[in-house]
Amino acid sequence: MVQDTIHRRTFLGGVAGIAGIAAVPGAFAQTLKLPASPLTISVIDVGGALALVQTPLENYPKANPKAVSRMVFTKAPAPELPAKLKAQQDAGRLDIDFVIGGLDVLSAGIDQKLWVELLPRFAAELPKPEDIYLKPALAMHNLGRGQAMAMVYYPSGPLLEYMPDKVKTPPTTAQELLDWTKQNKNRFLYARPANSGPGRTFIMGLPYILGDSDPKDPAKGWDKTWAYLKALGENIEYYPGGTGATMKELGDGSRDIIVSTTGWDINPRVLGVVPKEAKIQALKGFHWVTDAQYMMIPKGVSDEKLAVLLDLIRHMLTPQQQAYTYDEGYFYPGPAVKDVPLSMAPASSQKAIAEFGRPEYDKLIAENPMETPLEPEKMVVAFRIWDEQVGGAKRK
């Protein structure tokens, strides 16, 4: 969900009991030294997940004031961050300590060797993934190849979202969607996949819907998908740089159907960006393409910061902090770890999901297969092909 930046309130929840740094048994490898004085930690958000996790992040210095004095938050588009990090690392002047983002920036960072190896190198200092994660979240975590820890998870999509007053009979198959876009030119929209969770999920979900030869190989197995996306593109005015723009255009009536996901359906309706009465539709034969947001540490951080950041990761994966990730449905449901029911979430989360959630999601999740996204190298290839062959000429 890169650059998915519609404005959202974050919760002002109380701090759950968090063990102080010194109280965590075996919390740090002997090669790492604890800070002599409280640190400032620089966090950069490249996936929009700060809306979910700012409160848990800010809870850490509250519980560990001797380790961290404050958190500084910035945002950047996923396609831009790897080059910035690489330049800082090459110059020996890293000013980014902690990265939160999706598979797009994770994949690019793996490709360019930007991340600190977390597992198995620091296995003694971090939770054991097999013990803490929900099964589909564990599959997402494993895509990080030990260079990231999954932070939040959701089944994602792809889904269509539409306004029922404008679209009386929504498309139910890929062919019906293509036909609809021909008859309603420029009324359908999705964002650039390299910078949008729904856009990324859409192109990765189409090979299953269309019956392509290898849904996991965009270069050699997506012949039907690339042909379909090019045909669809003839009826699309432009491709926004992030998902937020698609939601605003659906909300203001500029578009009638957009690509969405569970969280992107719920949260903008909570916020009033999209009218509450918007509906969703899954295409025939669809598979869920799951999604996650990750925590990554860039190579080049000092040992004392690394010690604190490993403990911060532990903190973020406790059930008490994970409960905040229900948020207002942004990454519905949100928690990546086991045993975090909605009843643990802040009351405002429970209220928002009760009012704006959809009962049909339980049925869709139960009755349709779940697939992990592309491996990091393949995702980089998919983004390149889309940029070159599908959307490059009409990107904004």
Side-chain angles (χ1 to χ4, degrees), residues 1-4 44-49 74-78 81 99-102 104-106 195 293 296:
M1 276 189 292
V2 184
Q3 199 69 6
D4 293 352
I44 190 161
D45 170 25
V46 292
T74 56
K75 296 185 179 185
L81 182 66
V99 177
I100 56 174
D104 34 26
V105 74
L106 170 60
N195 214 34
Q293 293 272 313
M296 296 148 278

Side-chain angles (χ1 to χ4, degrees), residues 106 110 115-123 126 129 133 138-150 294-297 299 310 313 375-376:
L106 170 60
I110 289 174
W115 311 126
V116 169
E117 179 190 287
L118 300 177
L119 296 171
R121 182 181 173 193
F122 296 112
L126 293 169
Y133 284 126
L138 177 62
M140 293 299 300
H141 165 79
N142 289 339
L143 290 176
R145 300 181 184 174
Q147 297 178 46
M149 295 289 286
Y294 298 85
M295 299 175 281
M296 296 148 278
I297 302 175
K299 290 179 180 177
L310 291 172
I313 291 173
E375 291 286 336

Side-chain angles (χ1 to χ4, degrees), residues 71-281:
M71 299 271 188
V72 176
F73 302 106
T74 56
K75 296 185 179 185
E80 295 177 10
L81 182 66
K84 179 178 180 178
L85 271 178
K86 186 76 166 59
Q88 290 186 6
Q89 290 168 338
D90 289 348
R93 300 180 62 180
L94 185 70
D95 66 8
I96 296 167
D97 303 318
F98 200 63
V99 177
I100 56 174
L103 273 166
D104 34 26
V105 74
L106 170 60
S107 300
I110 289 174
D111 185 53
Q112 298 180 42
K113 300 179 172 57
L114 302 180
W115 311 126
V116 169
E117 179 190 287
L118 300 177
L119 296 171
R121 182 181 173 193
F122 296 112
E125 287 74 47
L126 293 169
K128 187 177 180 182
E130 294 81 3
D131 291 347
I132 64 163
Y133 284 126
L134 297 164
K135 186 176 179 181
L138 177 62
M140 293 299 300
H141 165 79
N142 289 339
L143 290 176
R145 300 181 184 174
Q147 297 178 46
M149 295 289 286
M151 176 177 64
V152 290
Y153 153 82
Y154 79 139
S156 193
L159 301 168
L160 301 179
E161 188 166 355
Y162 66 96
M163 298 309 303
D165 59 329
K166 301 283 187 67
V167 183
K168 304 298 185 185
T169 306
T172 61
T173 68
Q175 185 60 49
E176 287 179 8
L177 175 61
L178 181 58
D179 293 343
W180 187 92
T181 65
K182 290 176 180 176
Q183 295 157 12
N184 299 271
K185 222 166 177 65
N186 298 334
R187 304 301 295 176
F188 171 74
L189 195 65
Y190 70 97
R192 181 191 179 198
N195 214 34
S196 165
R200 180 171 72 242
T201 302
F202 181 55
I203 68 167
M204 288 190 290
L206 279 173
Y208 299 100
I209 294 168
L210 297 172
D212 249 324
S213 60
D214 187 352
K216 297 291 191 184
D217 189 347
K220 298 177 181 176
W222 285 21
D223 290 351
K224 294 177 181 178
T225 294
W226 294 124
Y228 182 85
L229 287 168
K230 290 172 188 176
L232 205 61
E234 294 177 9
N235 311 310
I236 294 173
E237 184 176 4
Y238 83 107
Y239 298 97
T243 314
T246 70
M247 295 292 156
K248 289 173 184 173
E249 294 200 25
L250 180 68
D252 68 19
S254 301
R255 315 292 160 178
D256 300 331
I257 302 178
I258 62 171
V259 169
S260 194
T261 60
T262 59
W264 273 104
D265 159 43
I266 295 171
N267 185 253
R269 290 188 298 117
V270 173
L271 297 175
V273 175
V274 172
K276 184 177 181 179
E277 58 268 22
K279 300 291 186 185
I280 58 104
Q281 177 69 49

Side-chain angles (χ1 to χ4, degrees), residues 11-16 18 54-66 68-71 315 324:
F11 295 113
L12 300 174
V15 183
I18 308 163
Q54 186 164 348
T55 295
L57 285 167
E58 290 176 337
N59 285 346
Y60 187 81
K62 291 176 184 176
N64 299 282
K66 292 183 179 179
V68 176
S69 57
R70 68 186 182 116
M71 299 271 188
H315 157 85
Y324 288 99

Side-chain angles (χ1 to χ4, degrees), residues 360-372:
E360 59 261 45
Y361 280 145
D362 290 341
K363 182 176 171 66
L364 283 170
I365 290 169
E367 295 182 357
N368 292 279
M370 291 201 183
E371 310 289 349
T372 53

